[in-house]
Amino acid sequence: LFVALDVTPESQRAAIHCTVNGEPVTATFPVHRILLDFLRADLGLLGAKLVCDAEICGACTVLVDGLPVSACTYLAVEVDGASVRTCEGLGSDDALDLLQQSFVECGAFQCGYCTPGMLMAVTALLDEEPRPTREAIAHHLAGNLCRCTGYQKILTAVEKAIDTRMAAGGKQ
Ligand code: FES
Ligand code: FES
């Protein structure tokens, strides 16, 4: 049994207060802690994925104060005072949000590894621009790589979510 001991001296630790998916979080960790490790290992939020570890693929995308960031290269200490959103905050097992539901209905994933990052990147886009064109969606997702779907079903799923929301008066 291997147990990793955190022997970081107190002088190299940081304390933060933030919200994660609307819940207040207070934490202390080494100043070099990466946001993705904080979310996955410390908070147990396993949606955001580690793939490239180099801010290239977008699989680790989460929102910090509404803006998409690559959690694999973002220091956890930088979210002090901020609002963090991950895909776990979009819907629940019993009630997917509109975008998640649309991904399911359109078959917009296969292995699903890229999906949490795609969902969060699109969420940021739709918060800014409720009716982007297909081209604008594709441009916005240029930093989110998918090895499986060929991208077309992802774009179709986003368009379907937009259409459904518009049909409901833009309220969903
Ligand atoms: S794992 Fe962070 S961008 Fe690829
Ligand atoms: S669904 Fe497999 S990488 Fe996108």
Side-chain angles (χ1 to χ4, degrees):
L1 176 66
F2 174 75
V3 178
L5 293 177
D6 182 357
V7 292
T8 308
E10 211 50 44
S11 62
Q12 293 173 27
R13 298 179 70 82
I16 67 161
H17 305 277
C18 63
T19 64
V20 178
N21 298 326
E23 298 293 327
V25 172
T26 299
T28 304
F29 41 63
V31 290
H32 57 268
R33 190 109 176 108
I34 293 297
L35 179 58
L36 187 60
D37 294 335
F38 174 57
L39 293 172
R40 290 179 58 89
D42 297 352
L43 302 186
L45 298 171
L46 302 179
K49 300 288 187 289
L50 181 67
V51 179
C52 69
D53 203 8
E55 210 173 335
I56 293 171
C57 74
C60 64
T61 302
V62 299
L63 306 188
V64 176
D65 287 338
L67 297 176
V69 305
S70 296
C72 70
T73 56
Y74 203 89
L75 287 173
V77 71
E78 292 183 87
V79 304
D80 187 28
S83 166
V84 180
R85 289 182 76 191
T86 71
C87 68
E88 286 87 349
L90 293 180
S92 66
D93 290 347
D94 296 330
L96 298 178
D97 89 336
L98 189 56
L99 192 57
Q100 291 171 315
Q101 187 64 38
S102 191
F103 267 58
V104 171
E105 290 172 2
C106 294
F109 53 86
Q110 290 180 34
C111 78
Y113 233 72
C114 69
T115 310
M118 292 280 182
L119 291 170
M120 298 318 295
V122 172
T123 295
L125 173 65
L126 299 186
D127 284 348
E128 275 291 307
E129 167 54 66
R131 288 195 91 160
T133 63
R134 191 176 180 95
E135 291 70 27
I137 300 164
H139 180 74
H140 182 79
L141 289 176
N144 289 77
L145 306 184
C146 177
R147 294 156 186 78
C148 305
T149 66
Y151 298 100
Q152 297 308 311
K153 289 183 178 179
I154 293 171
L155 299 177
T156 298
V158 177
E159 288 182 319
K160 180 178 168 65
I162 294 168
D163 289 346
T164 304
R165 186 166 62 181
M166 290 301 158
K171 293 196 176 66
Q172 289 188 45

